Amino acid sequence: MLFFLNDGIQENKSGIEHAQIQRLHLFEQNNEPAMIVTRQYSNELHTITEHAGIKDEHFVNMFDYFKNAVHVTKKVATIRDINIDPKWQRKADGVSYEYLSNGRRVLYVKRRNDAKKSIMNVQYLDEFGSLLKVSWYDVRGFISVEHIYDWQSTSGSHILNENYLRPDGSLALQITNQLDKRGKVTKSYHLFNFKGHDYNFTDFDKLTSFFLDQLVTDKEICGNGPVGMIVDRVFENGWSVLHMKNRVPRYMQLHNDHVNHNEDIMHSTLNYNYEWGLRHIEDWNGVIALTPQQQDDVEARYGKYNVPIFRVPSAVVPDEVINGPHVPFKNRKKHSVVTVARLSPEKQQEHLIAAWPKILKVVPDATLDLWGYANDNYDKKLKKQVKELNLESSVHFRGYTTDVAKIDEEAQLMVLPTHVEGLSIALVEAESHGLPAIANDVKYGPSDIIIDQKDGLLTKDGDIDGLADAVISLLTDEDRMAKMSENAYEDSKRYSGPNVMKLWQKIINDMDKKGAC
């Protein structure tokens, strides 16, 4: 069993989550036992995993585990399941309801806007309208956590206790939030009646470490074979993994550039996501790089520690895509350019926007669609730039999408002006759908995916005029793009399931050799 460790999972998933999900499906197809593991709580979690195509038998969350709720028969909790005083007056608030006693609100029932109007939470208020308690319902139909509010502090209300409940209503885990003299919250964690014992933890990482120790020795989940861990979120999970009592094989996965200045891979400061993990590299059983170049760079700097450096790309092209029909290039939307990436400084969408006026002078009907969610309101900067350049009619912000294939099969060109990469899943997906791509020739990934002049073009980072010229050179030569499209379909086979699985097998063999608890 290989566990893929993450912190949490959201509807809007980053490349790390997409990589985990693709990897999980690959292992499933090859009958290799694997599970995604998260540690953050969400009452909507199992809707998110369902939408992501993650089966419950291939997923475990720390809170679910402690609450005996890894596998729960789903039901729908509706307003009929709540004890409500019939004397209270009910008022509709959209799909939700508030209840009043003598003109004062005493209860608020927040419902989801789904077919059966299931309950999201129930809020209880005192006679002065102050919030006393909120009962949150898991999407599977039971009260999962109760937030108890404190109004005695000088800073006003705050959540005093978070009581996490088992499906039978018993208390499994309590998080206590105490305010110090400066009003700063300090948390403590109390686990109740877990395998007949109670436990206290002073921080979340120690709780996580305890959870992982239980998980890797749980035969009902792990079976009787070897157990190992792929740590996909090293910043969040690294400490907990390296402080486990049970030493199972553990591998640190790099999902992007491991240094801040890759022109000096031997001395550069480290990417904060991997700094702690790399400073403790001797405690890992292996490091997984995404590309041959990154593998060589990590080996050059850390080879002296004799920790194996593996290489596995994060992207997998499914068989149904490889064997699917090719879109005739003439059927694609003429002069349609797309970028599929987080709206984030390192992706440098502003460079493409800056190049766009020059492109429009030669290709006036060109359109640019920017797909992806924004980090730290970066979209506001980009939208301001578009407005200042009077590009609103040709540059559009489309937001997050789960249907990348449709985008890739309708557009004529993908452009990714990124400053730094790991291995861009978006570029591999574009290639697999026959979409020619332009990307900066930076570490790591673009030059591994794009074969320059064959299925796309590699550009110099920061050269905005050069980027504009590259886009123009393709948009004005449809025959060349059509040829690149056919080449892209063929070149994407490098990332087929069997090819990627061969690389994972080396890590599986290493795990088998080193054994487990």
Side-chain angles (χ1 to χ4, degrees):
M1 171 69 74
L2 264 173
F3 292 111
F4 308 151
L5 268 58
N6 206 325
D7 190 45
I9 185 168
Q10 309 293 331
E11 282 287 0
N12 293 353
K13 288 169 279 296
S14 73
I16 293 178
E17 284 70 55
H18 286 296
Q20 281 192 319
I21 294 166
Q22 290 184 10
R23 185 197 305 157
L24 183 69
H25 294 331
L26 179 65
F27 274 55
E28 183 180 1
Q29 291 162 10
N30 287 273
N31 298 313
E32 286 289 346
M35 299 182 78
I36 292 175
V37 179
T38 66
R39 64 176 190 161
Q40 296 291 350
Y41 168 81
S42 170
N43 61 318
E44 306 291 326
L45 182 59
H46 288 267
T47 293
I48 295 170
T49 55
E50 181 182 353
H51 290 169
I54 304 170
K55 300 176 183 176
D56 279 355
E57 56 263 37
H58 296 148
F59 177 79
V60 61
N61 169 263
M62 180 173 71
F63 285 85
D64 281 352
Y65 187 80
F66 287 140
K67 297 192 304 176
N68 297 332
V70 174
H71 300 289
V72 174
T73 300
K74 188 175 181 179
K75 64 178 184 178
V76 178
T78 68
I79 203 162
R80 290 187 293 272
D81 296 308
I82 305 173
N83 291 322
I84 297 174
D85 191 328
K87 297 178 183 178
W88 291 344
Q89 178 189 2
R90 187 174 81 175
K91 293 177 63 177
D93 181 21
V95 298
S96 302
Y97 289 112
E98 63 176 348
Y99 291 84
L100 296 92
S101 176
N102 297 322
R104 292 183 176 180
R105 187 163 74 166
V106 294
L107 190 73
Y108 186 83
V109 181
K110 185 174 180 61
R111 303 197 295 174
R112 298 181 179 90
N113 194 20
D114 53 21
K116 296 188 177 180
K117 302 297 186 291
S118 61
I119 298 174
M120 180 179 291
N121 65 51
V122 180
Q123 303 169 26
Y124 299 86
L125 302 98
D126 66 14
E127 59 182 300
F128 303 106
S130 300
L131 195 58
L132 296 173
K133 179 177 76 171
V134 179
S135 298
W136 290 87
Y137 281 74
D138 189 284
V139 290
R140 294 170 292 176
F142 63 94
I143 297 176
S144 181
V145 59
E146 291 188 330
H147 289 168
I148 311 300
Y149 284 77
D150 175 27
W151 286 84
Q152 302 305 313
S153 68
T154 56
S155 61
S157 69
H158 79 282
I159 299 173
L160 178 63
N161 291 324
E162 303 169 39
N163 296 327
Y164 293 86
L165 309 177
R166 301 181 179 96
D168 65 7
S170 62
L171 179 62
L173 176 69
Q174 183 180 77
I175 301 176
T176 301
N177 301 289
Q178 297 285 356
L179 295 178
D180 63 19
K181 293 180 180 179
R182 294 178 174 83
K184 183 179 179 181
V185 176
T186 59
K187 292 178 177 286
S188 57
Y189 302 82
H190 315 279
L191 189 60
F192 295 102
N193 194 24
F194 178 74
K195 298 181 179 179
H197 299 280
D198 298 340
Y199 301 89
N200 292 317
F201 303 92
T202 55
D203 64 53
F204 196 55
D205 288 334
K206 291 178 181 177
L207 175 67
T208 303
S209 194
F210 177 81
F211 158 62
L212 296 175
D213 271 320
Q214 303 305 309
L215 185 65
V216 300
T217 56
D218 191 327
K219 296 301 182 183
E220 290 186 9
I221 291 178
C222 297
N224 295 313
V227 179
M229 293 181 168
I230 307 296
V231 184
D232 288 293
R233 293 279 186 183
V234 180
F235 178 80
E236 291 84 356
N237 287 303
W239 188 95
S240 299
V241 169
L242 296 189
H243 284 80
M244 291 170 59
K245 293 180 180 178
N246 295 291
R247 173 77 190 239
V248 301
R250 56 264 188 120
Y251 305 88
M252 176 170 52
Q253 173 73 65
L254 304 176
H255 279 281
N256 43 41
D257 200 334
H258 58 286
V259 295
N260 293 323
H261 306 287
N262 53 36
E263 66 277 4
D264 183 9
I265 57 101
M266 296 301 295
H267 307 99
S268 170
T269 55
L270 299 170
N271 181 327
Y272 78 94
N273 287 293
Y274 309 111
E275 182 175 9
W276 192 89
L278 288 171
R279 293 198 185 284
H280 296 82
I281 192 168
E282 293 175 279
D283 294 323
W284 298 91
N285 295 98
V287 177
I288 307 170
L290 295 175
T291 71
Q293 189 179 30
Q294 186 177 39
Q295 184 182 29
D296 290 344
D297 285 354
V298 175
E299 182 68 40
R301 184 161 176 173
Y302 295 100
K304 61 186 177 183
Y305 296 104
N306 296 317
V307 174
I309 312 299
F310 299 93
R311 192 268 300 182
V312 187
S314 53
V316 182
V317 180
D319 290 345
E320 59 268 24
V321 175
I322 287 178
N323 299 321
H326 293 190
V327 176
F329 203 79
K330 64 181 180 181
N331 292 351
R332 295 175 178 269
K333 182 182 175 184
K334 193 173 182 64
H335 297 158
S336 170
V337 179
V338 297
T339 296
V340 180
R342 288 177 292 110
L343 304 182
S344 185
E346 70 272 15
K347 300 300 182 181
Q348 297 187 151
Q349 287 94 342
E350 75 273 14
H351 286 193
L352 180 55
I353 294 171
W356 202 248
K358 183 177 180 180
I359 295 167
L360 288 180
K361 286 181 180 179
V362 182
V363 191
D365 63 340
T367 59
L368 172 60
D369 289 333
L370 299 168
W371 294 90
Y373 65 86
N375 283 149
D376 301 322
N377 296 315
Y378 191 66
D379 57 327
K380 293 181 179 179
K381 176 181 177 180
L382 298 177
K383 289 175 181 177
K384 180 182 178 183
Q385 182 186 14
V386 168
K387 185 175 182 180
E388 289 174 347
L389 294 174
N390 297 314
L391 299 174
E392 292 101 327
S393 61
S394 63
V395 178
H396 309 287
F397 294 85
R398 301 301 190 186
Y400 181 81
T401 181
T402 58
D403 196 357
V404 175
K406 184 175 186 293
I407 295 165
D408 289 341
E409 292 185 348
E410 289 181 350
Q412 283 194 328
L413 183 63
M414 165 85 78
V415 180
L416 188 66
T418 184
H419 170 66
V420 63
E421 274 297 334
L423 183 125
S424 171
I425 293 176
L427 284 180
V428 175
E429 289 176 332
E431 192 173 74
S432 72
H433 291 285
L435 181 60
I438 295 174
N440 285 335
D441 188 7
V442 296
K443 292 183 177 180
Y444 298 95
S447 63
D448 288 275
I449 301 165
I450 295 174
I451 302 177
D452 194 30
Q453 306 296 328
K454 182 185 177 188
D455 54 29
L457 299 176
L458 293 172
T459 49
K460 183 180 179 181
D461 182 24
D463 183 0
I464 293 175
D465 280 338
L467 178 63
D469 291 341
V471 174
I472 291 168
S473 72
L474 293 188
L475 290 185
T476 56
D477 192 343
E478 190 161 310
D479 289 341
R480 187 183 180 197
M481 283 195 294
K483 181 61 177 176
M484 284 184 168
S485 175
E486 284 304 313
N487 291 338
Y489 280 117
E490 185 63 28
D491 293 340
S492 72
K493 294 177 182 178
R494 294 171 295 163
Y495 299 94
S496 69
N499 285 338
V500 176
M501 197 64 205
K502 287 178 185 177
L503 298 171
W504 276 114
Q505 192 60 51
K506 296 179 181 180
I507 296 169
I508 294 169
N509 293 343
D510 189 71
M511 177 189 74
D512 291 345
K513 181 176 66 176
K514 289 169 179 170
C517 296

